[in-house]
Each structure stands twice: as structure tokens, then as C-alpha cells.
Amino acid sequence: MQLKKAIAALCLGIASAFAHADIYGYIDANGTGHFSTEKIDERYRLFLRGSASFDSSQLAPSAVPSQQTPLFGYLSRHPNLQKYETLLNAAAQEFEIDPALLKAVMAAESGFDTHAVSAKGAVGLMQILPATAERYGLQGDKKKTLEQKLTDPKTNIRLGARYLRDLHKLFPSRPELVIASYNAGEGAVQKYNNAIPPYPETRSYVQIVKQFYQLYRPAAQALAIAALTDNATTTRRIHMTIPGRRNMPAPTLE
């Protein structure tokens, strides 16, 4: 019962804290999905439309993407998402994190690529930095390096869920800071007086994870809490392509 209450509270916080931004995207010739909070070029098509008000009586096609679109299929029926569903649910239960949030972060971080490596060295499905893994006791050995261990889906997903849980404890009732910290590091959020850092990628990242979270929530749950979503000031829309991270200041940890 306590687990359900904790997850429900996090769901409500995420739904009410984030502004709604339009999401554009396309799938390239290699089958990789690219998403952005603005139409970068003619390849990008409107995928998810943000709305000033979002309630259960207005859950219309403009707010929910058609299930027939390739982009919806990429996000909702990606083979790796289905493959690791059991691991996602287990980690979500263990660390009291909403599974929909884990899926949203995974989609934004790696595009479901177990071998994704960012320019800053973040590894795997949840894009875990080696320094973050070391904080949680993961170390390399003679058989495998730390980076190799991070490509293991179970290890990677559990670390991502644990990190999100700890960020939630650090910033209670501030889900937008939890998501911003996952992208930029909690030290960066604290540096800017517990606010989303003014990094274009991080501001876009918060918006995209929020919209993906809406997509991954069960429909019944979405209907139940959508009316509680607050209006918020929309940040300036900027370019972000997924998977992979853009160059930004290295995350600082405290």
C-alpha cells in the first residue's frame, strides 16, 4: 500500500509540475528515432502537441498521438522496451519509482540502445555515468571493466531507478528538478539555487521526458490525473535529438 501511495504521489507531481511543449520527431534510415521540442528541419513532424490546458474531457487526438504513426510505434512497441519490461517493472517496484517514468527516461536517454555511449561517457539504456555507478558501489574487475558492466540491462536499469529514487529524496515534491538532475547532475541544479539549470539541453530534456511520461502512463491513470495538471510557463523550445546527448557542461556532483 505504501508503495502504491508513493508512486501515485510521484505521478501527480510529475503531471502537475511540467509545462506542455510540442514534440517533433522522425525516424531515420537506420531506424533511429529523433525527437525535439521544435521543428528543426523538414524531416521533423509534429508528434505530440502540448496544450495550455489538459484535462480528461479534452483528451483528444491533438493531445494523444495516433497509434498508427511510426513514431508512436517506435516509442511504445520498440523491441528493447518490450524485452526489458520485466526488468523495468522489477526496478520500479524495488525503488518505488513509477515504471512510466523509467520508460520515459530510457527513451530520452538512449532510445532503448543497450550499447549507447554519450560524448560525456554515459553508458547504456539509462545512460549511467561511470562516476555515478561508482557512487553506488559498482566497480570493474579483471573480467569486465566498469563500462562493460554498465551495458548489462539489469545493472543499468537498477542503477537508473536507484538514482532517480535518491534524486526524488533530494528534491521532494520537485519532480522537474529530479528530471533536470538526471540530465545535468544534482550539483548543477543546486548551483542554480534548486532550479532547472539554464542549459538548453536540460530544459528541452525536462519537457521531452514529461511528454514521454504522459505517453507511457496507463490510459486509465492518465484520465484520472490529467485534470490535475497545472498550467506552467513554457520554456523556450530548443533542439534536442535522441538518442545521445548534446555537448554541455560536465555534471557536477555533491
mmCIF file of all heavy atoms in Angstrom, residues 33-72:
data_model
loop_
_atom_site.group_PDB
_atom_site.id
_atom_site.type_symbol
_atom_site.label_atom_id
_atom_site.label_comp_id
_atom_site.label_asym_id
_atom_site.label_seq_id
_atom_site.Cartn_x
_atom_site.Cartn_y
_atom_site.Cartn_z
ATOM 1 N N GLY A 33 15.088 6.807 -33.806
ATOM 2 C CA GLY A 33 14.145 7.901 -33.605
ATOM 3 C C GLY A 33 14.849 9.163 -33.166
ATOM 4 O O GLY A 33 15.793 9.127 -32.370
ATOM 5 N N HIS A 34 14.418 10.295 -33.695
ATOM 6 C CA HIS A 34 14.952 11.603 -33.309
ATOM 7 C C HIS A 34 13.783 12.461 -32.865
ATOM 8 O O HIS A 34 12.755 12.544 -33.546
ATOM 9 C CB HIS A 34 15.665 12.270 -34.489
ATOM 10 C CG HIS A 34 16.815 11.476 -35.023
ATOM 11 N ND1 HIS A 34 18.121 11.700 -34.647
ATOM 12 C CD2 HIS A 34 16.857 10.435 -35.901
ATOM 13 C CE1 HIS A 34 18.916 10.849 -35.269
ATOM 14 N NE2 HIS A 34 18.171 10.072 -36.038
ATOM 15 N N PHE A 35 13.935 13.135 -31.721
ATOM 16 C CA PHE A 35 12.855 13.944 -31.179
ATOM 17 C C PHE A 35 13.394 15.304 -30.758
ATOM 18 O O PHE A 35 14.556 15.438 -30.371
ATOM 19 C CB PHE A 35 12.207 13.254 -29.981
ATOM 20 C CG PHE A 35 11.577 11.930 -30.328
ATOM 21 C CD1 PHE A 35 12.313 10.759 -30.249
ATOM 22 C CD2 PHE A 35 10.261 11.854 -30.751
ATOM 23 C CE1 PHE A 35 11.759 9.537 -30.583
ATOM 24 C CE2 PHE A 35 9.692 10.639 -31.085
ATOM 25 C CZ PHE A 35 10.437 9.482 -31.002
ATOM 26 N N SER A 36 12.554 16.304 -30.836
ATOM 27 C CA SER A 36 12.957 17.660 -30.493
ATOM 28 C C SER A 36 11.738 18.450 -30.047
ATOM 29 O O SER A 36 10.600 18.093 -30.368
ATOM 30 C CB SER A 36 13.607 18.345 -31.697
ATOM 31 O OG SER A 36 13.858 19.712 -31.437
ATOM 32 N N THR A 37 11.980 19.537 -29.309
ATOM 33 C CA THR A 37 10.887 20.417 -28.928
ATOM 34 C C THR A 37 10.666 21.537 -29.940
ATOM 35 O O THR A 37 9.918 22.479 -29.673
ATOM 36 C CB THR A 37 11.137 21.031 -27.538
ATOM 37 O OG1 THR A 37 12.458 21.555 -27.484
ATOM 38 C CG2 THR A 37 10.955 19.993 -26.446
ATOM 39 N N GLU A 38 11.317 21.435 -31.088
ATOM 40 C CA GLU A 38 10.986 22.343 -32.175
ATOM 41 C C GLU A 38 11.221 21.635 -33.505
ATOM 42 O O GLU A 38 11.931 20.626 -33.572
ATOM 43 C CB GLU A 38 11.798 23.631 -32.114
ATOM 44 C CG GLU A 38 13.274 23.464 -32.391
ATOM 45 C CD GLU A 38 14.018 24.791 -32.388
ATOM 46 O OE1 GLU A 38 13.422 25.816 -32.014
ATOM 47 O OE2 GLU A 38 15.199 24.801 -32.761
ATOM 48 N N LYS A 39 10.637 22.149 -34.564
ATOM 49 C CA LYS A 39 10.794 21.571 -35.897
ATOM 50 C C LYS A 39 12.124 22.043 -36.470
ATOM 51 O O LYS A 39 12.247 23.149 -36.999
ATOM 52 C CB LYS A 39 9.624 22.013 -36.787
ATOM 53 C CG LYS A 39 9.600 21.354 -38.160
ATOM 54 C CD LYS A 39 8.413 21.885 -38.955
ATOM 55 C CE LYS A 39 8.439 21.374 -40.387
ATOM 56 N NZ LYS A 39 7.903 20.023 -40.513
ATOM 57 N N ILE A 40 13.131 21.185 -36.373
ATOM 58 C CA ILE A 40 14.481 21.578 -36.764
ATOM 59 C C ILE A 40 14.591 21.735 -38.270
ATOM 60 O O ILE A 40 15.202 22.679 -38.772
ATOM 61 C CB ILE A 40 15.505 20.541 -36.271
ATOM 62 C CG1 ILE A 40 15.395 20.372 -34.749
ATOM 63 C CG2 ILE A 40 16.916 20.936 -36.665
ATOM 64 C CD1 ILE A 40 15.582 21.648 -33.972
ATOM 65 N N ASP A 41 14.017 20.780 -39.000
ATOM 66 C CA ASP A 41 14.021 20.854 -40.450
ATOM 67 C C ASP A 41 12.807 20.087 -40.972
ATOM 68 O O ASP A 41 11.940 19.678 -40.195
ATOM 69 C CB ASP A 41 15.331 20.307 -41.039
ATOM 70 C CG ASP A 41 15.635 18.878 -40.582
ATOM 71 O OD1 ASP A 41 14.696 18.037 -40.552
ATOM 72 O OD2 ASP A 41 16.799 18.582 -40.254
ATOM 73 N N GLU A 42 12.743 19.903 -42.287
ATOM 74 C CA GLU A 42 11.543 19.315 -42.891
ATOM 75 C C GLU A 42 11.347 17.838 -42.540
ATOM 76 O O GLU A 42 10.266 17.290 -42.747
ATOM 77 C CB GLU A 42 11.599 19.481 -44.417
ATOM 78 C CG GLU A 42 11.477 20.923 -44.876
ATOM 79 C CD GLU A 42 10.222 21.583 -44.337
ATOM 80 O OE1 GLU A 42 9.143 20.957 -44.401
ATOM 81 O OE2 GLU A 42 10.323 22.717 -43.832
ATOM 82 N N ARG A 43 12.369 17.194 -42.027
ATOM 83 C CA ARG A 43 12.206 15.792 -41.632
ATOM 84 C C ARG A 43 11.321 15.649 -40.403
ATOM 85 O O ARG A 43 10.650 14.635 -40.226
ATOM 86 C CB ARG A 43 13.575 15.157 -41.347
ATOM 87 C CG ARG A 43 14.500 15.077 -42.554
ATOM 88 C CD ARG A 43 15.879 14.612 -42.124
ATOM 89 N NE ARG A 43 16.496 15.548 -41.180
ATOM 90 C CZ ARG A 43 17.675 15.354 -40.591
ATOM 91 N NH1 ARG A 43 18.364 14.256 -40.852
ATOM 92 N NH2 ARG A 43 18.168 16.252 -39.760
ATOM 93 N N TYR A 44 11.319 16.648 -39.560
ATOM 94 C CA TYR A 44 10.576 16.580 -38.295
ATOM 95 C C TYR A 44 9.089 16.837 -38.534
ATOM 96 O O TYR A 44 8.712 17.776 -39.220
ATOM 97 C CB TYR A 44 11.120 17.600 -37.294
ATOM 98 C CG TYR A 44 12.448 17.213 -36.695
ATOM 99 C CD1 TYR A 44 13.638 17.458 -37.384
ATOM 100 C CD2 TYR A 44 12.519 16.604 -35.449
ATOM 101 C CE1 TYR A 44 14.864 17.104 -36.836
ATOM 102 C CE2 TYR A 44 13.738 16.246 -34.891
ATOM 103 C CZ TYR A 44 14.910 16.498 -35.594
ATOM 104 O OH TYR A 44 16.123 16.146 -35.063
ATOM 105 N N ARG A 45 8.264 15.989 -37.932
ATOM 106 C CA ARG A 45 6.815 16.130 -37.993
ATOM 107 C C ARG A 45 6.262 16.219 -36.582
ATOM 108 O O ARG A 45 6.808 15.630 -35.649
ATOM 109 C CB ARG A 45 6.181 14.927 -38.711
ATOM 110 C CG ARG A 45 6.583 14.796 -40.181
ATOM 111 C CD ARG A 45 5.924 15.894 -41.015
ATOM 112 N NE ARG A 45 6.211 15.726 -42.436
ATOM 113 C CZ ARG A 45 7.235 16.261 -43.067
ATOM 114 N NH1 ARG A 45 8.115 16.999 -42.389
ATOM 115 N NH2 ARG A 45 7.419 16.062 -44.361
ATOM 116 N N LEU A 46 5.183 16.954 -36.414
ATOM 117 C CA LEU A 46 4.557 17.072 -35.105
ATOM 118 C C LEU A 46 4.119 15.697 -34.618
ATOM 119 O O LEU A 46 3.398 14.977 -35.305
ATOM 120 C CB LEU A 46 3.355 18.016 -35.168
ATOM 121 C CG LEU A 46 2.618 18.247 -33.844
ATOM 122 C CD1 LEU A 46 3.539 18.935 -32.838
ATOM 123 C CD2 LEU A 46 1.362 19.079 -34.083
ATOM 124 N N PHE A 47 4.555 15.327 -33.421
ATOM 125 C CA PHE A 47 4.237 14.022 -32.856
ATOM 126 C C PHE A 47 3.310 14.152 -31.651
ATOM 127 O O PHE A 47 2.282 13.498 -31.571
ATOM 128 C CB PHE A 47 5.528 13.312 -32.462
ATOM 129 C CG PHE A 47 5.318 12.029 -31.707
ATOM 130 C CD1 PHE A 47 4.565 10.994 -32.249
ATOM 131 C CD2 PHE A 47 5.862 11.857 -30.442
ATOM 132 C CE1 PHE A 47 4.371 9.810 -31.555
ATOM 133 C CE2 PHE A 47 5.677 10.682 -29.748
ATOM 134 C CZ PHE A 47 4.929 9.651 -30.298
ATOM 135 N N LEU A 48 3.680 14.994 -30.697
ATOM 136 C CA LEU A 48 2.851 15.237 -29.518
ATOM 137 C C LEU A 48 2.622 16.736 -29.395
ATOM 138 O O LEU A 48 3.578 17.507 -29.403
ATOM 139 C CB LEU A 48 3.539 14.730 -28.247
ATOM 140 C CG LEU A 48 3.533 13.223 -27.983
ATOM 141 C CD1 LEU A 48 4.497 12.891 -26.857
ATOM 142 C CD2 LEU A 48 2.135 12.753 -27.627
ATOM 143 N N ARG A 49 1.381 17.141 -29.289
ATOM 144 C CA ARG A 49 1.080 18.558 -29.168
ATOM 145 C C ARG A 49 0.862 18.930 -27.713
ATOM 146 O O ARG A 49 0.031 18.358 -27.022
ATOM 147 C CB ARG A 49 -0.167 18.924 -29.976
ATOM 148 C CG ARG A 49 -0.477 20.425 -29.955
ATOM 149 C CD ARG A 49 -1.741 20.745 -30.735
ATOM 150 N NE ARG A 49 -1.603 20.449 -32.148
ATOM 151 C CZ ARG A 49 -0.950 21.217 -33.024
ATOM 152 N NH1 ARG A 49 -0.360 22.331 -32.609
ATOM 153 N NH2 ARG A 49 -0.871 20.887 -34.285
ATOM 154 N N GLY A 50 1.651 19.897 -27.228
ATOM 155 C CA GLY A 50 1.433 20.416 -25.899
ATOM 156 C C GLY A 50 0.192 21.283 -25.894
ATOM 157 O O GLY A 50 -0.204 21.845 -26.915
ATOM 158 N N SER A 51 -0.450 21.389 -24.740
ATOM 159 C CA SER A 51 -1.681 22.178 -24.648
ATOM 160 C C SER A 51 -1.644 23.042 -23.399
ATOM 161 O O SER A 51 -1.064 22.668 -22.387
ATOM 162 C CB SER A 51 -2.910 21.261 -24.606
ATOM 163 O OG SER A 51 -2.819 20.346 -23.542
ATOM 164 N N ALA A 52 -2.285 24.192 -23.499
ATOM 165 C CA ALA A 52 -2.339 25.084 -22.353
ATOM 166 C C ALA A 52 -3.140 24.466 -21.224
ATOM 167 O O ALA A 52 -2.849 24.651 -20.054
ATOM 168 C CB ALA A 52 -2.949 26.430 -22.758
ATOM 169 N N SER A 53 -4.197 23.739 -21.562
ATOM 170 C CA SER A 53 -4.955 23.006 -20.559
ATOM 171 C C SER A 53 -5.096 21.575 -21.025
ATOM 172 O O SER A 53 -5.258 21.310 -22.206
ATOM 173 C CB SER A 53 -6.342 23.623 -20.359
ATOM 174 O OG SER A 53 -7.116 23.489 -21.527
ATOM 175 N N PHE A 54 -5.035 20.670 -20.074
ATOM 176 C CA PHE A 54 -5.051 19.253 -20.427
ATOM 177 C C PHE A 54 -5.897 18.546 -19.390
ATOM 178 O O PHE A 54 -5.455 18.321 -18.274
ATOM 179 C CB PHE A 54 -3.633 18.703 -20.423
ATOM 180 C CG PHE A 54 -3.522 17.267 -20.868
ATOM 181 C CD1 PHE A 54 -3.626 16.935 -22.206
ATOM 182 C CD2 PHE A 54 -3.291 16.257 -19.956
ATOM 183 C CE1 PHE A 54 -3.496 15.622 -22.631
ATOM 184 C CE2 PHE A 54 -3.169 14.937 -20.368
ATOM 185 C CZ PHE A 54 -3.274 14.629 -21.704
ATOM 186 N N ASP A 55 -7.146 18.265 -19.720
ATOM 187 C CA ASP A 55 -7.996 17.584 -18.757
ATOM 188 C C ASP A 55 -8.696 16.409 -19.420
ATOM 189 O O ASP A 55 -8.626 16.218 -20.628
ATOM 190 C CB ASP A 55 -9.010 18.536 -18.118
ATOM 191 C CG ASP A 55 -9.943 19.179 -19.131
ATOM 192 O OD1 ASP A 55 -10.439 18.447 -20.017
ATOM 193 O OD2 ASP A 55 -10.190 20.378 -19.033
ATOM 194 N N SER A 56 -9.363 15.604 -18.595
ATOM 195 C CA SER A 56 -9.923 14.350 -19.076
ATOM 196 C C SER A 56 -11.016 14.558 -20.104
ATOM 197 O O SER A 56 -11.298 13.665 -20.897
ATOM 198 C CB SER A 56 -10.468 13.548 -17.893
ATOM 199 O OG SER A 56 -11.437 14.294 -17.176
ATOM 200 N N SER A 57 -11.642 15.722 -20.131
ATOM 201 C CA SER A 57 -12.690 15.971 -21.120
ATOM 202 C C SER A 57 -12.122 16.431 -22.441
ATOM 203 O O SER A 57 -12.839 16.517 -23.430
ATOM 204 C CB SER A 57 -13.662 17.042 -20.587
ATOM 205 O OG SER A 57 -13.004 18.294 -20.472
ATOM 206 N N GLN A 58 -10.820 16.732 -22.470
ATOM 207 C CA GLN A 58 -10.191 17.225 -23.683
ATOM 208 C C GLN A 58 -9.056 16.322 -24.135
ATOM 209 O O GLN A 58 -8.112 16.748 -24.777
ATOM 210 C CB GLN A 58 -9.642 18.641 -23.453
ATOM 211 C CG GLN A 58 -10.746 19.650 -23.138
ATOM 212 C CD GLN A 58 -10.187 21.012 -22.835
ATOM 213 O OE1 GLN A 58 -8.997 21.159 -22.594
ATOM 214 N NE2 GLN A 58 -11.032 22.018 -22.842
ATOM 215 N N LEU A 59 -9.135 15.046 -23.769
ATOM 216 C CA LEU A 59 -8.115 14.104 -24.173
ATOM 217 C C LEU A 59 -8.374 13.715 -25.618
ATOM 218 O O LEU A 59 -8.926 12.672 -25.937
ATOM 219 C CB LEU A 59 -8.144 12.871 -23.268
ATOM 220 C CG LEU A 59 -6.911 11.969 -23.294
ATOM 221 C CD1 LEU A 59 -5.663 12.755 -22.895
ATOM 222 C CD2 LEU A 59 -7.083 10.784 -22.351
ATOM 223 N N ALA A 60 -7.995 14.601 -26.502
ATOM 224 C CA ALA A 60 -8.325 14.481 -27.919
ATOM 225 C C ALA A 60 -7.094 14.069 -28.711
ATOM 226 O O ALA A 60 -5.987 14.033 -28.201
ATOM 227 C CB ALA A 60 -8.842 15.838 -28.426
ATOM 228 N N PRO A 61 -7.257 13.757 -30.008
ATOM 229 C CA PRO A 61 -6.102 13.368 -30.831
ATOM 230 C C PRO A 61 -4.975 14.391 -30.842
ATOM 231 O O PRO A 61 -3.834 14.045 -31.063
ATOM 232 C CB PRO A 61 -6.725 13.202 -32.224
ATOM 233 C CG PRO A 61 -8.137 12.799 -31.935
ATOM 234 C CD PRO A 61 -8.532 13.586 -30.722
ATOM 235 N N SER A 62 -5.308 15.666 -30.588
ATOM 236 C CA SER A 62 -4.250 16.666 -30.569
ATOM 237 C C SER A 62 -3.327 16.491 -29.384
ATOM 238 O O SER A 62 -2.190 16.948 -29.398
ATOM 239 C CB SER A 62 -4.858 18.078 -30.517
ATOM 240 O OG SER A 62 -5.626 18.236 -29.339
ATOM 241 N N ALA A 63 -3.820 15.820 -28.318
ATOM 242 C CA ALA A 63 -3.005 15.614 -27.132
ATOM 243 C C ALA A 63 -2.388 14.231 -27.103
ATOM 244 O O ALA A 63 -1.349 14.015 -26.495
ATOM 245 C CB ALA A 63 -3.851 15.820 -25.873
ATOM 246 N N VAL A 64 -3.029 13.264 -27.726
ATOM 247 C CA VAL A 64 -2.537 11.897 -27.734
ATOM 248 C C VAL A 64 -2.218 11.502 -29.165
ATOM 249 O O VAL A 64 -3.068 11.619 -30.041
ATOM 250 C CB VAL A 64 -3.591 10.930 -27.147
ATOM 251 C CG1 VAL A 64 -3.076 9.499 -27.222
ATOM 252 C CG2 VAL A 64 -3.908 11.309 -25.710
ATOM 253 N N PRO A 65 -0.995 11.045 -29.453
ATOM 254 C CA PRO A 65 -0.630 10.726 -30.831
ATOM 255 C C PRO A 65 -1.384 9.521 -31.350
ATOM 256 O O PRO A 65 -1.760 8.631 -30.595
ATOM 257 C CB PRO A 65 0.863 10.426 -30.727
ATOM 258 C CG PRO A 65 1.039 9.940 -29.320
ATOM 259 C CD PRO A 65 0.065 10.744 -28.505
ATOM 260 N N SER A 66 -1.596 9.485 -32.643
ATOM 261 C CA SER A 66 -2.229 8.320 -33.254
ATOM 262 C C SER A 66 -1.354 7.095 -33.070
ATOM 263 O O SER A 66 -0.135 7.144 -33.256
ATOM 264 C CB SER A 66 -2.436 8.567 -34.755
ATOM 265 O OG SER A 66 -2.811 7.368 -35.398
ATOM 266 N N GLN A 67 -1.971 5.990 -32.708
ATOM 267 C CA GLN A 67 -1.219 4.760 -32.501
ATOM 268 C C GLN A 67 -0.737 4.163 -33.823
ATOM 269 O O GLN A 67 0.004 3.187 -33.816
ATOM 270 C CB GLN A 67 -2.073 3.755 -31.725
ATOM 271 C CG GLN A 67 -2.443 4.235 -30.341
ATOM 272 C CD GLN A 67 -3.128 3.164 -29.510
ATOM 273 O OE1 GLN A 67 -3.031 1.978 -29.811
ATOM 274 N NE2 GLN A 67 -3.818 3.573 -28.474
ATOM 275 N N GLN A 68 -1.178 4.739 -34.936
ATOM 276 C CA GLN A 68 -0.771 4.221 -36.242
ATOM 277 C C GLN A 68 0.511 4.852 -36.762
ATOM 278 O O GLN A 68 1.050 4.412 -37.772
ATOM 279 C CB GLN A 68 -1.913 4.451 -37.253
ATOM 280 C CG GLN A 68 -3.248 3.857 -36.840
ATOM 281 C CD GLN A 68 -3.158 2.364 -36.585
ATOM 282 O OE1 GLN A 68 -2.547 1.637 -37.351
ATOM 283 N NE2 GLN A 68 -3.769 1.908 -35.499
ATOM 284 N N THR A 69 1.015 5.897 -36.084
ATOM 285 C CA THR A 69 2.185 6.584 -36.591
ATOM 286 C C THR A 69 3.463 5.799 -36.275
ATOM 287 O O THR A 69 3.554 5.133 -35.244
ATOM 288 C CB THR A 69 2.311 7.994 -35.982
ATOM 289 O OG1 THR A 69 2.544 7.865 -34.571
ATOM 290 C CG2 THR A 69 1.047 8.806 -36.216
ATOM 291 N N PRO A 70 4.468 5.877 -37.149
ATOM 292 C CA PRO A 70 5.737 5.186 -36.884
ATOM 293 C C PRO A 70 6.391 5.639 -35.582
ATOM 294 O O PRO A 70 6.993 4.833 -34.882
ATOM 295 C CB PRO A 70 6.594 5.558 -38.098
ATOM 296 C CG PRO A 70 5.601 5.854 -39.182
ATOM 297 C CD PRO A 70 4.447 6.502 -38.485
ATOM 298 N N LEU A 71 6.293 6.935 -35.266
ATOM 299 C CA LEU A 71 6.925 7.431 -34.053
ATOM 300 C C LEU A 71 6.271 6.844 -32.802
ATOM 301 O O LEU A 71 6.949 6.516 -31.823
ATOM 302 C CB LEU A 71 6.862 8.955 -34.014
ATOM 303 C CG LEU A 71 7.801 9.671 -34.984
ATOM 304 C CD1 LEU A 71 7.492 11.159 -35.020
ATOM 305 C CD2 LEU A 71 9.250 9.433 -34.615
ATOM 306 N N PHE A 72 4.948 6.707 -32.818
ATOM 307 C CA PHE A 72 4.266 6.096 -31.682
ATOM 308 C C PHE A 72 4.718 4.647 -31.541
ATOM 309 O O PHE A 72 4.993 4.165 -30.438
ATOM 310 C CB PHE A 72 2.751 6.155 -31.854
ATOM 311 C CG PHE A 72 1.996 5.616 -30.671
ATOM 312 C CD1 PHE A 72 1.608 6.454 -29.640
ATOM 313 C CD2 PHE A 72 1.687 4.262 -30.577
ATOM 314 C CE1 PHE A 72 0.926 5.953 -28.537
ATOM 315 C CE2 PHE A 72 1.007 3.753 -29.488
ATOM 316 C CZ PHE A 72 0.623 4.595 -28.462
#
